[in-house]
Amino acid sequence: MNKVIEEQEKAITEKDSSTEEKILEAGRKLFTERGYAGTRTRDIAEEAGINLALLNYYFRSKENLFKIIMLEKVELFFGELIRMLKEDTTIDKKAEKIINLYFDMLSSNPDLPLFIFSETRYNENHSAVRDKMQTIVNDKDLQSLLKQMNPNVNPYHIIINFIGCIVFPYISKAIFDNTTVVKESSFDKLMETQKKIVPHILNAILSINEENAK
Amino acid sequence: MNKVIEEQEKAITEKDSSTEEKILEAGRKLFTERGYAGTRTRDIAEEAGINLALLNYYFRSKENLFKIIMLEKVELFFGELIRMLKEDTTIDKKAEKIINLYFDMLSSNPDLPLFIFSETRYNENHSAVRDKMQTIVNDKDLQSLLKQMNPNVNPYHIIINFIGCIVFPYISKAIFDNTTVVKESSFDKLMETQKKIVPHILNAILSINEENAK
DNA sequence: GTAAAAATTAAACAATTGATTAAAATAATT
DNA sequence: AATTATTTTAATCAATTGTTTAATTTTTAC
């Protein structure tokens, strides 16, 4: 292995195991699991295996650390979606790609949807996040795409039901775990089937005509 | 008005405006809006317009007050559903009744779903609630009903997608409010349309055959 | 190798939080 | 009307929480 690559890898390793990254990683885990109010800075420090004071040394405050992580998570949740919607393919291909992408992302970030929705409901300070999400949904291209998909229903219903059947299984995961309906099969396997069901649901919404929707 | 009725009404009014009920009402509002960790006992006292010590006088502790309210909310969220599922009518009639019931209930309790799902995800102490919900889903009658509706898919998918498209609009409400897709129409009006869309989604899931689901 | 800079630590701070106390006010009982 | 029980209050407690400080250790730069 040549020396340049060796140094690059060392740099990456160092960055991953740096205290700054350790705090970020602990923050990601605890904030998404327990929310802002349910997480203590001491819990983060302990989870990260660092001294409490280092949190403020690197991130100034709990709220600042939270904001950084929240923006990261919002980008993770919406970023790729926006990029894919702008791609120039058929609606079916686009939908398939988004579905695959989301279920993959959610399988490694199962707490993400509940984190985003619960932390933005009662927001004193993190309204910047909600603003970003609104910018995304207000996108003109997305609007016209949805209108084109089915002019009979408000685009809202297409978005909400499409995202809903992808995201809701993860939101309700804690409740349905250890339930016979989930125990039989594993959650991951259920999501493989859900992947195939979502297009059927999308088609159902797209084939709604005026009489049915009004 | 006769004297008995007069006294009954007085009793009801007294109970409604009693400090105990004032604390409960304030607790309901703040806990559902901000969650357990995000709510201070002082906020509850202020919201109720009572002295802080009265909270502990009547309810012993913050956690005890929370548990009472949580059980109330779980009953509100699942109770009627169970009762309706046991009714002896056609599946279509049953579905229609449940849809109407839920949208009505949610329009006056918009924070309810997010409260229940976010408070039961990371639960150190309130696991009793999750147990109750598991009992509900594990119900034998419900299982066989769902198997009968469509033997090709795991009952999980019927439950999750049916409940999801009723509940998810409320979970994501805060994010989509002030968005062009919602602004055009009012949220209540969108829910009137959503009411009519849900049966189409349910039909789509029920008409899935083996090849599609596997 | 040494001085300067950066990172880490233990200890403590001030504010907040859930809870309690003891006294005062109100209501109920006789 | 007097006594007792109940409710309400202001003050305080002890523990927790986010943050800071000042000293120490480690790393970097020359």
Side-chain angles (χ1 to χ4, degrees), chain A residues 15-27 30 40-60 65:
Chain A
K15 204 190 172 188
D16 284 355
S17 60
S18 73
T19 45
E20 196 172 335
E21 186 53 40
K22 275 193 280 184
I23 295 167
L24 269 172
E25 195 50 38
L30 298 188
R40 324 267 147 246
T41 53
R42 278 167 178 81
D43 298 337
I44 297 174
E46 193 188 3
E47 175 76 29
I50 52 101
N51 186 285
L52 173 62
L54 290 175
L55 193 153
N56 296 85
Y57 179 75
Y58 282 102
F59 294 97
R60 214 170 61 248
L65 174 64

Side-chain angles (χ1 to χ4, degrees), chain B residues 12-180:
Chain B
I12 290 165
T13 312
E14 265 171 14
K15 204 189 172 189
D16 284 354
S17 60
S18 71
T19 45
E20 195 172 336
E21 185 53 40
K22 277 194 277 183
I23 295 167
L24 268 173
E25 195 50 38
R28 286 185 196 108
K29 181 176 189 291
L30 298 188
F31 279 140
T32 50
E33 271 179 19
R34 315 179 186 180
Y36 180 81
T39 305
R40 323 269 146 244
T41 52
R42 280 168 176 78
D43 298 337
I44 296 173
E46 195 188 3
E47 175 75 29
I50 53 101
N51 186 285
L52 173 63
L54 290 175
L55 193 153
N56 295 87
Y57 179 76
Y58 281 101
F59 295 96
R60 215 170 58 247
S61 69
K62 176 191 176 185
E63 193 181 324
N64 189 240
L65 174 63
F66 178 82
K67 279 181 176 168
I68 290 167
I69 290 170
M70 184 48 127
L71 283 174
E72 235 184 66
K73 296 293 179 185
V74 169
E75 169 61 24
L76 183 63
F77 193 66
F78 287 104
E80 199 68 18
L81 176 69
I82 305 307
R83 262 164 261 136
M84 303 212 66
L85 283 170
K86 290 202 194 293
E87 273 185 25
D88 195 28
T89 47
T90 65
I91 290 171
D92 283 350
K93 285 269 175 199
K94 220 180 260 190
E96 195 196 323
K97 234 182 157 184
I98 292 173
I99 292 166
N100 282 319
L101 181 89
Y102 261 81
F103 278 107
D104 286 355
M105 187 267 281
L106 291 173
S107 79
S108 43
N109 300 277
D111 292 325
L112 184 59
L114 197 46
F115 169 70
I116 290 194
F117 289 113
S118 60
E119 289 302 318
T120 45
R121 100 191 118 152
Y122 177 73
N123 60 318
E124 319 157 80
N125 34 34
H126 4 107
S127 64
V129 173
R130 208 170 50 178
D131 291 348
K132 185 170 181 176
M133 287 186 279
Q134 284 170 6
T135 312
I136 289 167
V137 183
N138 284 339
D139 184 275
K140 286 278 171 205
D141 293 342
L142 177 60
Q143 301 280 328
S144 61
L145 176 75
L146 295 170
K147 267 287 172 208
Q148 171 202 330
M149 285 168 82
N150 187 346
N152 297 318
V153 293
N154 187 317
Y156 172 81
H157 298 286
I158 306 176
I159 300 181
I160 214 82
N161 290 302
F162 181 62
I163 298 183
C165 60
I166 296 173
V167 149
F168 187 69
Y170 290 90
I171 290 175
S172 57
K173 191 175 185 297
I175 286 176
F176 284 101
D177 270 355
N178 304 320
T179 287
T180 52

Side-chain angles (χ1 to χ4, degrees), chain A:
Chain A
M1 207 191 288
N2 81 48
K3 208 174 176 189
V4 177
I5 290 175
E6 221 171 303
E7 276 175 3
Q8 276 180 350
E9 286 194 350
K10 197 190 162 201
I12 290 165
T13 312
E14 265 172 11
K15 204 190 172 188
D16 284 355
S17 60
S18 73
T19 45
E20 196 172 335
E21 186 53 40
K22 275 193 280 184
I23 295 167
L24 269 172
E25 195 50 38
R28 287 185 195 107
K29 182 176 188 291
L30 298 188
F31 278 141
T32 50
E33 271 179 19
R34 313 179 187 182
Y36 180 81
T39 305
R40 324 267 147 246
T41 53
R42 278 167 178 81
D43 298 337
I44 297 174
E46 193 188 3
E47 175 76 29
I50 52 101
N51 186 285
L52 173 62
L54 290 175
L55 193 153
N56 296 85
Y57 179 75
Y58 282 102
F59 294 97
R60 214 170 61 248
S61 70
K62 175 190 177 187
E63 193 180 322
N64 189 240
L65 174 64
F66 178 82
K67 279 181 177 168
I68 290 167
I69 290 170
M70 184 46 128
L71 283 174
E72 234 183 69
K73 296 293 180 186
V74 169
E75 169 61 26
L76 183 64
F77 193 67
F78 286 104
E80 199 69 18
L81 176 69
I82 305 308
R83 262 165 260 134
M84 304 212 65
L85 283 171
K86 289 202 195 293
E87 273 184 26
D88 194 27
T89 48
T90 65
I91 290 171
D92 283 350
K93 286 268 174 201
K94 219 180 262 192
E96 195 196 325
K97 235 183 158 182
I98 292 173
I99 291 165
N100 282 319
L101 182 90
Y102 260 80
F103 277 106
D104 286 355
M105 187 268 280
L106 291 174
S107 79
S108 42
N109 299 276
D111 292 326
L112 184 59
L114 198 44
F115 170 69
I116 290 194
F117 289 113
S118 60
E119 289 302 317
T120 45
R121 101 191 117 153
Y122 176 74
N123 59 319
E124 321 157 80
N125 33 34
H126 3 105
S127 63
V129 172
R130 206 172 51 178
D131 291 349
K132 185 171 180 177
M133 287 186 278
Q134 282 170 7
T135 312
I136 289 166
V137 183
N138 284 339
D139 184 277
K140 286 279 171 205
D141 293 342
L142 176 60
Q143 301 280 329
S144 61
L145 176 76
L146 294 171
K147 267 286 171 208
Q148 171 203 329
M149 285 167 82
N150 188 344
N152 297 318
V153 293
N154 188 317
Y156 171 81
H157 298 287
I158 305 175
I159 301 180
I160 215 81
N161 290 302
F162 180 62
I163 297 182
C165 59
I166 296 172
V167 150
F168 186 69
Y170 290 90
I171 290 176
S172 57
K173 192 175 185 297
I175 286 178
F176 285 100
D177 270 356
N178 304 320
T179 287
T180 52
V181 279
V182 174
K183 253 191 218 154
E184 295 175 3
S185 192
S186 74
F187 185 77
D188 289 344
K189 221 158 191 185
L190 287 170
M191 288 308 102
E192 282 305 312
T193 307
Q194 182 73 1
K195 250 188 206 178
K196 285 163 195 153
I197 292 177
V198 175
H200 292 272
I201 293 173
L202 184 59
N203 282 333
I205 304 160
L206 293 184
S207 62
I208 286 173
N209 55 38
E210 273 186 84
E211 300 100 68
N212 290 329
K214 289 283 158 63

